[in-house]
């Protein structure tokens, strides 16, 4: 708990971020003043990156620029997005986009990335937050079905766990690719055999994976509205999904004090989130947004909404980012997605080959892996949060093919969908 948590938690409502200004806590980044203007800034959001409505409105109020967002699942879709600026690049995304020429070759005016976060050869990338990719578990389902949470990465491939896991396709999804990089780091030369044994359910997009999560119906509409392939109120059959940590903050209970999800720390890959202009010269709106994202107001808003852990970590105190992200210590860590970037193609080829040729069939005394049907074992036949639920070995396959094309949406106020 935060050191500022009151001794009597029932004495007054605890609101994320409340009290920061009163206590005089200020940001530590000397952020430049954003430009002003009247144009619309088109923002591409990569693989679960968020620019919540309240943040977009605050940016407009301060600068005059309006905002439209285009969700994409991976940087390969960036050229089709027609965006002025991109948010949610991790280190590997930034390197790929730089090599492809889909982000600017030079940094924005007056704004620099923080010490320890710069990417060699990619001056356009400016760090603004952190949002690791992890396996996210539905705590209610695991408890109702008497399943223990995996405590190691290798445990994901065990018979009782592997049939419960859904992954966004690493070939097209930045989130899926980050998970594959973590698998390669954990298994080394055994990556192929690990993937072959894991044999997970693979969805075409992050949104489809969240729709296949057993707790997917509890994820806020605000979060889902900025993710390709997502559907409001949709739950599926997989209690373990690969997703950004920010999903945990988007799946809070009615009280706001707990979440249906939890990240499994042993499965996480650290990701610094970067923003970059896509054009040369950058538009005034793009450079204004990049500068504004380093401001104390924007950093605090990232934390209070849970959209990302702020790169200015002092502003995470008493917020959703602190309560639910599971990130402790300095938010400025080495971005693990940049490791062995040149090996990414070989890993993707190994992933595809392993899924095309799953592990040999097991003996009748062993639990089946669940492929090729993709059905996880131990699925509850009714709401997993209801009392008295036992284990069942039958479940409907709720995953559907989703449209992976970029969507453009002009920002507008939305209702608070965290309540059920």
């Amino acid at each position: 708990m935060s050191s500022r948590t009151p001794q009597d938690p029932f004495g007054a409502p605890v609101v994320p971020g409340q009290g920061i200004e009163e206590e005089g806590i200020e940001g530590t980044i000397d952020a430049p003043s954003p430009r002003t203007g009247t144009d619309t800034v088109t923002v591409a959001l990569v693989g679960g990156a968020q620019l919540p409505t309240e943040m977009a409105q605050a940016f407009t109020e301060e600068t005059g620029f309006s905002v439209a967002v285009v969700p994409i699942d991976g940087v390969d879709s960036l050229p089709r997005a027609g965006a002025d600026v991109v948010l949610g690049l991790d280190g590997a995304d930034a390197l790929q986009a730089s090599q492809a020429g889909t982000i600017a070759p030079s940094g924005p005016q007056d704004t620099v990335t923080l010490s320890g976060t710069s990417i060699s050869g990619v001056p356009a990338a400016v760090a603004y937050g952190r949002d690791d990719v992890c396996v996210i578990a539905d705590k209610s389902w695991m408890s109702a079905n008497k399943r223990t949470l995996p405590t190691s990465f290798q445990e994901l491939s065990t018979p009782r766990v592997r049939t419960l896991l859904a992954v966004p396709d690493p070939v097209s999804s930045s989130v899926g690719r980050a998970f594959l990089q973590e698998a390669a780091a954990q298994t080394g030369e055994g990556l192929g055999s690990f993937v072959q044994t894991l044999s997970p359910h693979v969805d075409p997009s992050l949104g489809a994976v969240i729709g296949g999560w057993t707790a997917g119906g509890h994820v806020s509409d605000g979060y889902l509205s900025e993710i390709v392939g997502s559907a409001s109120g949709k739950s599926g059959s997989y209690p373990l999904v690969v997703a950004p940590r920010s999903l945990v903050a988007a799946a809070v209970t009615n009280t706001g004090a707990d979440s249906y999800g939890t990240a499994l720390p042993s499965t996480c890959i650290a990701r610094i989130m970067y923003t970059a202009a896509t054009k040369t010269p950058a538009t005034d709106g793009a450079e204004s947004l990049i500068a504004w994202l380093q401001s104390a107001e924007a950093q605090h808003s990232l934390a209070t909404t849970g959209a990302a852990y702020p790169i200015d970590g002092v502003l995470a105190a008493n917020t959703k980012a602190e309560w639910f992200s599971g990130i402790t210590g300095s938010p400025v860590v080495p971005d693990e997605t940049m490791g062995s970037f040149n090996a990414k193609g070989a890993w993707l080829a190994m992933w595809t080959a392993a899924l095309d040729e799953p592990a040999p069939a097991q003996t009748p005394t062993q639990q089946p892996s669940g492929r090729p049907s993709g059905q996880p074992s131990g699925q509850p036949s009714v709401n997993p949060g209801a009392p008295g639920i036992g284990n069942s070995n039958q479940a409907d396959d709720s995953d559907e093919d989703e449209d992976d094309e970029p969507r453009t949406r002009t920002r507008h106020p939305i209702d608070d969908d965290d309540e059920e």
Side-chain angles (χ1 to χ4, degrees):
M1 298 293 289
S2 168
S3 60
R4 285 173 287 277
T5 300
Q7 289 186 337
D8 180 6
F10 303 103
V14 178
V15 180
Q18 191 177 65
I20 295 292
E21 295 82 358
E22 290 82 349
E23 294 183 14
I25 298 177
E26 298 180 354
T28 62
I29 299 175
D30 186 18
S33 298
R35 301 181 191 181
T36 59
T38 58
D39 295 335
T40 296
V41 184
T42 302
V43 183
L45 301 175
V46 181
Q50 300 290 296
L51 186 62
T53 299
E54 49 265 58
M55 287 189 65
Q57 290 174 337
F59 171 68
T60 299
E61 290 172 3
E62 181 171 344
T63 68
F65 290 105
S66 58
V67 176
V69 299
V70 184
I72 59 177
D73 217 38
V75 289
D76 287 338
S77 300
L78 186 55
R80 303 195 304 272
D84 302 301
V85 63
V86 56
L87 268 63
L89 299 170
D90 60 25
D93 289 332
L95 286 166
Q96 179 179 339
S98 179
Q99 291 179 3
T102 52
I103 60 174
S106 58
Q109 294 186 39
D110 306 322
T111 307
V112 296
T113 197
L114 299 180
S115 175
T117 65
S118 61
I119 303 174
S120 178
V122 191
V126 175
Y128 69 90
R130 178 178 167 189
D131 196 8
D132 302 346
V133 163
C134 310
V135 173
I136 310 295
D138 176 356
K139 296 187 294 185
S140 295
W141 190 98
M142 298 295 282
S143 176
N145 286 272
K146 298 180 175 60
R147 301 294 185 95
T148 58
L149 296 177
T151 58
S152 70
F153 196 91
Q154 286 70 22
E155 194 176 344
L156 294 176
S157 63
T158 59
R160 282 181 59 82
V161 177
R162 64 190 179 200
T163 55
L164 308 179
L165 179 66
V167 180
D169 190 351
V171 175
S172 57
S173 167
S174 291
V175 171
R177 185 263 308 146
F179 173 76
L180 179 57
Q181 286 186 264
E182 178 65 5
Q186 294 260 6
T187 60
E189 294 181 358
L191 174 63
S193 59
F194 172 81
V195 174
Q196 193 177 42
T197 304
L198 180 68
S199 197
H201 177 81
V202 180
D203 274 313
S205 67
L206 174 61
V209 165
I210 295 174
W213 192 32
T214 51
H218 300 293
V219 179
S220 71
D221 285 347
Y223 183 87
L224 293 171
S225 69
E226 295 182 335
I227 296 177
V228 171
S230 61
S232 176
K234 183 178 179 181
S235 293
S237 304
Y238 296 88
L240 302 177
V241 294
V242 172
R245 280 186 190 262
S246 54
L247 175 62
V248 178
V252 294
T253 61
N254 284 345
T255 65
D258 197 6
S259 172
Y260 289 94
T262 186
L264 306 183
S266 63
T267 67
C268 297
I269 181 169
R271 297 192 313 160
I272 297 296
M273 296 284 93
Y274 294 89
T275 179
T278 61
K279 303 171 183 177
T280 304
T283 65
D284 285 346
E287 293 197 332
S288 180
L289 181 59
I290 292 170
W292 184 77
L293 283 170
Q294 286 194 346
S295 70
E297 179 182 12
Q299 290 284 296
H300 186 215
S301 188
L302 284 171
T304 56
T305 59
Y309 197 90
I311 205 74
D312 192 350
V314 68
L315 296 174
N318 193 32
T319 66
K320 281 186 175 181
E322 181 186 58
W323 295 343
F324 300 120
S325 74
I327 294 175
T328 58
S330 172
V332 181
V333 299
D335 188 320
E336 294 176 352
T337 67
M338 285 186 284
S340 302
F341 174 73
N342 292 332
K344 184 182 71 169
W347 293 335
L348 288 171
M350 196 175 298
W351 166 274
T352 302
L355 293 186
D356 287 343
E357 188 177 354
Q362 299 178 349
T363 63
T365 59
Q366 294 176 302
Q367 186 173 355
S369 67
R371 282 186 66 90
S373 67
Q375 298 296 335
S377 63
Q379 300 297 326
S381 57
V382 293
N383 185 344
I389 293 176
N391 287 345
S392 169
N393 288 326
Q394 300 295 326
D396 293 332
D397 189 351
S398 65
D399 113 336
E400 298 176 358
D401 291 337
E402 302 284 355
D403 181 11
D404 197 25
E405 289 299 311
R407 296 176 285 124
T408 303
R409 177 171 59 81
T410 302
R411 301 308 307 236
H412 55 81
I414 59 174
D415 296 329
D416 183 359
D417 296 297
D418 282 345
E419 293 187 0
E420 293 178 77

